[in-house]
């Protein structure tokens, strides 16, 4: 026997167009048949019997071809008998359902984009911008604060900053409430410069000056005024659903945060994100991030934490999807 010849793209498109035309021509009889317990088939129909269609499928067909809504009587049944078999109708209905699902996904993403944009605006308003990609804000932290302060090692940079947020401390608790639970207010990031304690300037002071201000303020909490470099400073990456938080420097691979969240080295299916298995979607911007190859750049404003959720795709499908949250 000889193998059948490979079908060309033009032939495939022609067959698909023919099936869609047959669907439009046969839509009336389908609507009439779905009102009964089963399809009525004449001897000319080739293929297995088609079960009773569900209400959802009838709604899809009504949406896909409303121009055939008034087609009833025996003429549509004759069209069904002469022009279309049961397997072809099932295939055409699946194509119509897939088109409607894609349209619904696009509409849902547009609505989410509007909401996410408002959320991102709210994040930007939590800090006062003073130019030069810098932001100033206050954070109220209960005592003991749970942070470590050090003088900046650079000769050109005076003052002191946050070198560590102690895990489990009060500052870390605030970070988790704000970054993960999305509570209002700001949070503390390694690299933030300390400007004032309870309104008292300590930008040019010493660490001992800060200790004295905190110890003698007569309150159970401290108001820290912090300065953050929003484009060159580190980024707080939160890997969901575990809520693992890691501070990543600019220029470092996103895989460092993913490996920290999983507690060890990870193996990826590719090195450029093509396979889609490592894809994550950011909570606020809805952007797609690929830990296997993405690098933390200056594009991310670190006033907002980078909170990513797993959003894997099937191998090979990622080339057909919208990267970076595009709609």
């Amino acid at each position: 026997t000889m193998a059948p010849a490979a079908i060309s793209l033009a032939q495939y498109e022609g067959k698909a167009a023919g099936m869609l035309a047959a669907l439009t021509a046969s839509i009336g009889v389908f609507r009439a048949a779905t009102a009964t317990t089963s399809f009525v088939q004449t001897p000319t129909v080739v293929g297995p019997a088609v079960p009773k269609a569900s209400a959802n499928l009838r709604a899809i067909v009504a949406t896909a071809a409303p121009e055939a809504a008034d087609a009833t009587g025996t003429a549509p049944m004759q069209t069904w008998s002469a022009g279309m078999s049961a397997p072809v109708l099932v295939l055409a209905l699946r194509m119509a359902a897939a088109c409607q699902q894609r349209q619904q996904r696009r509409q849902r993403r547009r609505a989410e984009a509007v909401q996410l944009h408002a959320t991102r605006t709210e994040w930007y308003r939590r800090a006062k911008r003073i130019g030069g990609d810098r932001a100033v804000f206050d954070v109220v932290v209960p005592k003991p604060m749970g942070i470590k302060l050090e003088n900046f090692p650079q000769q050109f940079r005076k003052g002191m900053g946050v070198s560590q947020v102690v895990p489990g401390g009060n500052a870390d608790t605030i970070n988790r409430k704000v970054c993960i639970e999305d509570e209002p207010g700001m949070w503390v990031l390694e690299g933030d410069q300390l400007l004032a304690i309870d309104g008292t300037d300590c930008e040019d002071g010493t660490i001992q000056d800060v200790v004295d201000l905190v110890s003698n303020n007569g309150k159970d909490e401290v108001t820290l005024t912090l300065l953050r470099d929003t484009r060159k400073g580190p980024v707080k990456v939160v890997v969901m659903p575990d809520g693992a938080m890691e501070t990543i420097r600019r220029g470092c691979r996103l895989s460092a945060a993913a490996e920290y969240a999983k507690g060890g080295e990870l193996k990826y299916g590719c090195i450029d994100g093509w396979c889609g298995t490592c894809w994550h979607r950011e909570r606020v911007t809805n952007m797609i991030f690929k830990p296997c190859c993405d690098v933390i750049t200056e594009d991310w404003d670190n006033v907002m934490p980078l909170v990513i959720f797993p959003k894997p795709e099937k191998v090979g499908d990622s080339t057909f999807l919208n990267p970076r949250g595009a709609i």
Side-chain angles (χ1 to χ4, degrees):
T1 59
M2 297 179 61
I7 185 171
S8 66
L9 179 60
Q11 291 174 328
Y12 178 81
E13 292 178 346
K15 288 182 176 294
M19 286 190 292
L20 289 177
L23 171 64
T24 302
S26 305
I27 197 67
V29 66
F30 178 79
R31 290 172 58 84
T34 53
T36 63
T37 57
S38 62
F39 281 101
V40 179
Q41 297 179 335
T42 63
T44 59
V45 176
V46 179
V50 181
K52 180 180 178 180
S54 65
N56 291 337
L57 197 54
R58 292 198 299 269
I60 291 173
V61 174
T63 303
E67 66 277 3
D70 58 346
T72 56
T74 58
M77 184 62 69
Q78 294 172 359
T79 303
W80 157 262
S81 302
M84 203 171 188
S85 65
V88 174
L89 178 60
V90 171
L91 177 59
L93 291 175
R94 289 177 178 175
M95 294 174 64
C99 292
Q100 188 187 49
Q101 291 174 357
R102 285 195 297 269
Q103 183 178 6
Q104 291 175 347
R105 284 197 298 268
R106 286 194 296 267
Q107 293 174 349
R108 184 169 59 252
R109 288 181 179 177
R110 290 190 182 99
E112 291 176 351
V114 174
Q115 180 180 2
L116 292 170
H117 177 72
T119 304
R120 180 163 48 182
T121 302
E122 292 174 359
W123 266 108
Y124 290 164
R125 290 176 177 173
R126 296 184 185 188
K128 180 181 178 181
R129 308 289 170 153
I130 61 173
D133 294 327
R134 296 181 299 169
V136 177
F137 52 90
D138 291 337
V139 181
V140 180
V141 185
K143 296 180 181 179
M145 294 187 294
I147 62 174
K148 291 184 178 180
L149 299 174
E150 291 184 10
N151 293 317
F152 290 115
Q154 300 91 341
Q155 295 181 355
F156 62 86
R157 190 175 185 183
K158 297 181 180 180
M160 69 193 76
V162 179
S163 62
Q164 181 184 6
V165 177
V166 180
N170 286 327
D172 182 62
T173 301
I174 292 176
N175 285 1
R176 292 188 171 276
K177 289 181 179 179
V178 176
C179 298
I180 299 178
E181 301 174 14
D182 205 17
E183 292 191 2
M186 276 299 292
W187 49 285
V188 183
L189 177 65
E190 290 85 350
D192 288 345
Q193 181 177 354
L194 181 62
L195 299 182
I197 297 289
D198 293 325
T200 301
D201 184 13
C202 59
E203 183 176 359
D204 296 326
T206 63
I207 294 180
Q208 185 59 46
D209 295 335
V210 173
V211 172
D212 294 339
L213 289 172
V214 173
S215 303
N216 301 322
N217 71 344
K219 297 184 294 184
D220 295 332
E221 60 186 21
V222 180
T223 301
L224 304 178
T225 301
L226 302 173
L227 173 67
R228 182 175 300 174
D229 190 329
T230 62
R231 297 295 179 179
K232 296 182 179 179
V235 175
K236 181 70 72 176
V237 179
V238 183
V239 182
M240 301 299 287
D242 299 331
M245 303 174 63
E246 180 68 1
T247 303
I248 305 297
R249 294 180 179 179
R250 307 280 180 168
C252 292
R253 296 170 65 95
L254 187 59
S255 59
E259 291 174 354
Y260 171 80
K262 297 301 181 182
E265 184 178 357
L266 298 177
K267 295 182 179 179
Y268 299 100
C270 67
I271 59 174
D272 57 2
W274 176 85
C275 72
T277 56
C278 73
W279 284 24
H280 284 67
R281 193 172 289 277
E282 207 280 323
R283 179 180 63 184
V284 175
T285 62
N286 209 32
M287 295 166 60
I288 289 292
F289 286 88
K290 297 164 284 188
C292 70
C293 61
D294 278 352
V295 175
I296 303 297
T297 67
E298 295 183 3
D299 295 335
W300 188 263
D301 190 312
N302 63 5
V303 165
M304 183 173 61
L306 182 66
V307 183
I308 54 177
F309 288 81
K311 190 64 176 178
E313 301 293 342
K314 294 181 180 179
V315 175
D317 286 351
S318 58
T319 55
F320 299 101
L321 301 179
N322 295 321
R324 295 290 182 184
I327 298 176

